[in-house]
Amino acid sequence: MRAPFIKVAVATAAVLMLTGCVNVLPKTKPVQLYRFGYDAEKIEKVTLAPAPANGVLVPVNLGGIDFPQESQGDRILTTEGNEVAYVGGSRWAAPVRQLFQDAVKEGFSRSATTVRLDPRGPSAAQYRLDLTVHRFESAYGRGRPTVSVALDARLTRLADRAVVGQRYVTADVAVRRSDMSLMAESYDEATSQVVAALIGFTQETVAANPVPDNKVQVPAR
């Protein structure tokens, strides 16, 4: 009759040992994840060209999006003067490059009226939009952060490889206080402003620099 008691006692001791091991393991605070994107409600109404009567939108290929090495990952970059640091305990839900690319695609899909981003690549497009991001950071001054986004946009007409337009686009959105949730909202607003400016730039440039009729490519179906 003692054998069952011994087995129970051994099992109980094993559980207590495991419990003790778990209790002495170092506890780590979970990392809080954030994201940003395109939100049409966070930008001023922009007057864009009306949609074409035939409903055909000019196809544009979204080319490269280059980010500085220090801000292209999933860490949230802050600067103050010449000092650079990352927000502790917080990260973006995906690499900044991916989130920003998704925001550009979402913006063109929802708000562009005369052009569209074609997912099939350069062979199906008439223009290519390339972006070089110079700043994507929370810049501190006197203890107050401002979300700062700045980039160069270049539009190339693929029929003759001519660069038909270039524009420097910036957005600076102040954050009410140094709070990561508020900062994420400001990234939303700054990104939305930049994407809206990119849409306006692309549509204006395409309208002013049409592809010659004899060089228009019919996108493959």
Side-chain angles (χ1 to χ4, degrees):
M1 295 295 293
R2 293 176 60 86
F5 174 78
I6 293 173
K7 289 182 179 179
V8 172
V10 171
T12 303
V15 170
L16 290 173
M17 290 176 63
L18 286 174
T19 303
C21 291
V22 172
N23 286 340
V24 299
L25 288 176
K27 295 181 180 180
T28 58
K29 186 178 180 180
V31 174
Q32 180 64 50
L33 300 181
Y34 295 88
R35 61 185 177 185
F36 62 87
Y38 175 78
D39 187 347
E41 295 182 357
K42 294 186 177 180
I43 58 175
E44 296 180 2
K45 290 295 182 182
V46 180
T47 302
L48 296 174
N54 60 6
V56 178
L57 305 183
V58 177
V60 176
N61 171 240
L62 180 59
I65 303 180
D66 295 325
F67 270 83
Q69 182 68 31
E70 64 270 18
S71 63
Q72 65 180 340
D74 64 353
R75 293 181 295 178
I76 302 168
L77 180 69
T78 69
T79 62
E80 186 168 10
N82 293 326
E83 298 180 358
V84 177
Y86 296 102
V87 177
S90 301
R91 288 180 181 265
W92 295 118
V96 167
R97 186 201 300 268
Q98 182 61 53
L99 291 175
F100 190 78
Q101 182 183 68
D102 291 344
V104 173
K105 290 179 178 179
E106 176 73 9
F108 272 80
S109 175
R110 291 179 56 189
S111 301
T113 56
T114 62
V115 301
R116 61 180 172 84
L117 294 183
D118 198 303
R120 293 170 293 176
S123 62
Q126 295 179 18
Y127 299 83
R128 185 182 70 241
L129 177 64
D130 294 299
L131 307 175
T132 301
V133 179
H134 301 292
R135 291 201 312 274
F136 196 89
E137 62 198 37
S138 299
Y140 278 78
R142 299 181 180 179
R144 295 283 299 277
T146 295
V147 171
S148 182
V149 180
L151 59 82
D152 275 309
R154 182 179 63 190
L155 194 67
T156 302
R157 187 170 55 203
L158 296 177
D160 53 5
R161 302 295 175 181
V163 176
V164 293
Q166 297 186 82
R167 184 168 297 178
Y168 184 60
V169 180
T170 65
D172 295 293
V173 179
V175 186
R176 294 197 301 275
R177 63 177 183 274
S178 187
D179 176 88
M180 192 54 224
S181 294
L182 295 176
M183 200 178 295
E185 292 179 7
S186 294
Y187 272 101
D188 250 3
E189 185 174 345
T191 299
S192 298
Q193 290 180 13
V194 166
V195 172
L198 287 175
I199 295 171
F201 158 69
T202 303
Q203 299 201 147
E204 293 167 10
T205 306
V206 166
N209 299 272
V211 177
D213 292 338
N214 61 338
K215 293 186 178 181
V216 172
Q217 299 179 10
V218 179
R221 296 291 182 183

